[in-house]
Amino acid sequence: MRSAPTILHLDMDAFFASAEQASKPSLRGKAVIVGGLGPRGVVATASYEARVLGVHSAMPMAQARRLAPNAAYLVPRFAFYRSISEQVMALLRALSPLVEPLSLDEAFVDLEAGGTAWDAESARLAGVKLRADIRAVTGLTGSVGLAASKMLAKIASEQAKPDGLVLIEPGTERALLGPMSVRTLPGVGPATGDHLRRAGIHTVEELAEAGEDELVRLLGKSLGHALYAMALARDERPVVAERETKSVSVEDTYDVDIHDRVRVALEVQRLADRCVRRLRGAGLSGRTIVLKVRRYDFSTLTRSETLRGPTDDPAVVREAAARLLESVDTTGGVRLLGVGVSGLADFTQEDLFAQAAGEREAEDTGEDREVEAAKDAAVEVPVERRWVAGHDVAHAEFGHGWVQGSGLGRVTVRFETPDSGVGRVRTFAVDDPALAAAEPLPLVSRGSGAVVDGASA
């Protein structure tokens, strides 16, 4: 482990919810919950105002509504969040070539590799500047942890939340970790935590005192050795700039179980097409097609088929997914479907099956056209569902706004922008020709003077 706290961990504060609050002046300082709004939806992110009420990520949305009935409930805008994430990651890469993104809002940075920091003071200054730059460029806040290892840097950023910076001085790690719960350590989830608790081990200090042999006896060789090392604050994992993508997949959860076998098949075909679009967007191909089916009783089945060579041909993926579906009993109903591709490569091997599929598509028989028409009808969304809660719209007379809600042929819109005051609310018919979907506005105007890589942003 290094002798200076030059590993930085950044975690944006309540990222999705904070982005929505910054985008919508009327929601600032109020409880905001972002996630799936259907009866089976879950919370993706809750603002700190909502967390005070007991709402947290991965909670069923129905439970969140009971805890916070007056909160604003919004559907995620992932393209918007991704654009903000790209701005943040650009700031991190200006600090070092070794940036390890963990998600849209979280990453490790090796400051030493970038020559940005070499001791505690230079690391602290880098962290302070980063937080200021993030606020200037995105209008949002992030919490920073600095330490001599990845494990400790992540623990430090958690302590820094919200909107803070914590630096763990080398030599103080054992004293800091000792009184913490064993659940603080990576790899200790609810089941492992309960197992340790039953053995009388509650804190990291008690974990270290138990000894390596006892932990191996309790937890097995791999986890026992790993947890003992972490209890002693040992973590030699490097910051890895490129995390290899192992698979590409898409899945949908349905508000109402699907019982119609034809509809299930059409959904699988649609998911296969989406998966291939994502695969091609990443410049990848893959050999193994995976089908995931969660049935009415929550039992989850996976089926896979490995091709002769990697492909990114949608016809090949569709046909493989259809074959896999034939081996799954969906009689009782399906609540989730997913299609994935693994065994990835950055090239495509021409395949005779792909060529044959392409020739069949080129023929495009009348029967094929009927299937496509049926598919379109099956997934057609009622007109009022075009107006998704939280998403952006523009009106010919009133300008930019966002959807507060829709139903019964009406849509309610609040007209405001990130740099306006709280906007006014108006209601329209869902088919009002003056109302249209719109792209999100930037949270910080270009005239703000923020600097990224030495250039005005």
Side-chain angles (χ1 to χ4, degrees):
M1 206 161 76
R2 58 187 71 187
S3 59
T6 53
I7 292 182
L8 179 149
H9 181 260
L10 170 72
D11 197 351
M12 299 295 288
D13 299 322
F15 182 46
F16 297 173
S18 293
E20 297 296 350
Q21 288 176 317
S23 178
K24 303 171 172 63
S26 59
L27 298 184
R28 294 169 190 169
K30 297 182 179 179
V32 174
I33 298 170
V34 180
L37 302 189
R40 292 176 180 165
V42 297
V43 176
T45 308
S47 69
Y48 286 99
E49 295 85 356
R51 295 182 190 189
V52 171
L53 303 174
V55 180
H56 57 77
S57 299
M59 172 182 285
M61 193 61 76
Q63 183 180 355
R65 288 186 184 277
R66 289 193 295 269
L67 293 171
N70 297 319
Y73 289 86
L74 307 176
V75 175
R77 297 185 291 166
F78 287 113
F80 177 51
Y81 309 145
R82 194 172 294 112
S83 68
I84 301 171
S85 175
E86 288 169 357
Q87 293 178 303
V88 173
M89 295 302 164
L91 291 172
L92 297 183
R93 293 187 182 99
L95 295 175
S96 172
L98 290 184
V99 176
E100 182 178 340
L102 303 178
S103 62
L104 289 178
D105 62 338
E106 186 180 2
F108 286 110
V109 184
D110 188 334
L111 299 176
E112 186 177 319
T116 308
W118 49 90
D119 59 13
E121 184 56 27
S122 57
R124 185 183 297 276
L125 290 175
V128 169
K129 182 178 185 302
L130 173 64
R131 292 179 57 239
D133 288 346
I134 289 173
R135 186 185 288 273
V137 171
T138 70
L140 304 179
T141 63
S143 295
V144 167
L146 293 156
S149 71
K150 290 168 72 172
M151 177 187 76
L152 291 164
K154 185 170 175 60
I155 289 172
S157 70
E158 195 63 35
Q159 290 186 321
K161 283 188 166 293
D163 191 20
L165 182 152
V166 168
L167 183 148
I168 299 176
E169 293 277 2
T172 67
E173 297 96 344
R174 290 285 302 277
L176 174 76
L177 285 174
M180 292 184 176
S181 166
V182 292
R183 290 289 305 276
T184 304
L185 300 180
V188 182
T192 302
D194 287 344
H195 193 52
L196 290 170
R197 179 179 52 78
R198 287 193 295 271
I201 300 173
H202 302 84
T203 67
V204 176
E205 183 177 11
E206 291 170 344
L207 198 66
E209 290 174 349
E212 190 167 17
D213 291 343
E214 176 65 8
L215 294 179
V216 168
R217 187 186 68 80
L218 285 171
L219 305 171
K221 188 174 181 179
S222 178
L223 185 55
H225 286 313
L227 287 188
Y228 183 69
M230 287 189 285
L232 299 180
R234 297 174 186 163
D235 179 16
E236 302 294 341
R237 293 174 301 157
V239 176
V240 181
E242 295 296 331
R243 293 167 62 88
E244 183 181 358
T245 301
K246 297 183 178 179
S247 65
V248 173
S249 62
V250 296
E251 62 182 44
D252 276 345
T253 301
Y254 304 99
D255 292 345
V256 178
D257 290 349
I258 302 176
H259 292 83
D260 183 355
R261 183 76 178 185
V262 174
R263 170 75 189 282
V264 172
L266 291 172
E267 288 294 315
V268 167
Q269 299 294 288
R270 183 177 61 83
L271 289 166
D273 287 342
R274 280 175 52 196
C275 183
V276 169
R277 286 197 295 272
R278 184 172 294 183
L279 193 71
R280 287 181 168 180
L284 297 170
S285 59
R287 294 184 62 214
T288 302
I289 314 303
V290 181
L291 175 70
K292 177 180 177 182
V293 179
R294 181 166 298 150
R295 299 187 294 189
Y296 69 100
D297 59 357
F298 287 90
S299 61
T300 302
L301 305 176
T302 58
R303 299 287 186 269
S304 65
E305 175 181 318
T306 299
L307 307 174
R308 293 185 300 176
T311 184
D312 65 352
D313 189 300
V316 174
V317 177
R318 284 197 301 268
E319 288 183 5
R323 286 194 296 272
L324 294 170
L325 180 61
E326 291 174 1
S327 66
V328 178
D329 180 11
T330 61
T331 306
V334 170
R335 59 189 296 120
L336 177 146
L337 290 168
V339 174
V341 178
S342 61
L344 300 181
D346 57 2
F347 66 92
T348 302
Q349 178 175 312
E350 290 299 331
D351 188 283
L352 293 176
F353 290 121
Q355 294 175 8
E359 291 169 0
R360 286 196 300 273
E361 283 194 327
E363 292 174 1
D364 191 20
T365 66
E367 180 181 355
D368 291 335
R369 286 193 293 270
E370 289 176 3
V371 169
E372 287 301 311
K375 175 180 172 182
D376 292 340
V379 299
E380 184 178 351
V381 178
V383 64
E384 54 232 56
R385 293 189 65 187
R386 289 184 302 150
W387 308 114
V388 181
H391 284 220
D392 298 82
V393 294
H395 190 274
E397 179 181 353
F398 302 109
H400 193 93
W402 58 277
V403 176
Q404 282 199 326
S406 66
L408 301 177
R410 314 291 287 177
V411 55
T412 301
V413 178
R414 185 180 289 273
F415 291 97
E416 58 188 6
T417 64
D419 54 0
S420 74
V422 175
R424 296 186 62 181
V425 175
R426 296 182 181 274
T427 299
F428 307 91
V430 293
D431 56 355
D432 190 321
L435 192 65
E439 293 296 317
L441 298 177
L443 299 181
V444 177
S445 63
R446 291 188 176 273
S448 64
V451 174
V452 181
D453 291 339
S456 178

